[in-house]
Amino acid sequence: MNIDLHDPQRFDLIVKQGSDAEVGFKVCCLPDPAAEDQTPEPLNLAGCSARMHVRTDFASADAVDELSTDNGRIFFDDDPSTGVVWMSFTAAATAAYPPRQLVYDLEITGSGGEVVPVLEGFIFVAPEVTHD
């Protein structure tokens, strides 16, 4: 999936409770937003960081989960110029997700400190049947 920075995207996810999953996408931007007929190019993520909160609803004060480049659950391709971002959902984290619809958004912070929301949506949590 390609994400254009000038048009943050909604992307809904389905996560199975108690399972591991990795989801990747490419962040793209227009070289000159004012020009016409351009092809989006991958955003160079060198020097960037990212974070994502998962909550039961938009107004919830407490996050169900937090993914970030700081905790290693969001990471970029080895070559940051590809613009590829990966989100890592661990079995331990998803086991604690309530079996319901959750909300999330993902922000990228540029090397200059600018914060850009690039992805948002719902996480549909399928209940785990096989568990302790």
Side-chain angles (χ1 to χ4, degrees), residues 94-109:
T94 62
Y97 285 14
R100 58 174 287 185
Q101 177 179 295
L102 304 173
V103 296
Y104 80 95
D105 66 4
L106 187 144
E107 301 173 334
I108 292 179
T109 302

Side-chain angles (χ1 to χ4, degrees), residues 31-51:
D32 178 3
E36 293 185 26
D37 299 327
Q38 296 183 74
T39 301
E41 297 177 356
L43 176 68
N44 189 335
L45 297 167
C48 294
S49 62
R51 70 182 190 141

Side-chain angles (χ1 to χ4, degrees), residues 3-104:
I3 305 295
D4 182 350
L5 272 184
H6 299 286
D7 186 20
Q9 299 291 307
R10 176 174 167 179
F11 185 67
D12 296 334
L13 303 166
I14 298 173
V15 173
K16 179 78 171 171
Q17 254 184 341
S19 67
D20 292 310
E22 287 187 351
V23 178
F25 60 93
K26 183 182 286 189
V27 180
C28 298
C29 60
L30 298 174
D32 178 3
E36 293 185 26
D37 299 327
Q38 296 183 74
T39 301
E41 297 177 356
L43 176 68
N44 189 335
L45 297 167
C48 294
S49 62
R51 70 182 190 141
M52 171 181 152
H53 283 175
V54 178
R55 299 181 187 273
T56 54
D57 60 61
F58 297 103
S60 177
D62 297 320
V64 172
D65 197 5
E66 180 176 352
L67 290 73
S68 70
T69 48
D70 288 341
N71 68 19
R73 297 198 36 225
I74 295 178
F75 54 95
F76 308 138
D77 264 3
D78 290 338
D79 178 358
S81 68
T82 64
V84 175
V85 178
W86 290 93
M87 300 177 283
S88 177
F89 296 91
T90 64
T94 62
Y97 285 14
R100 58 174 287 185
Q101 177 179 295
L102 304 173
V103 296
Y104 80 95

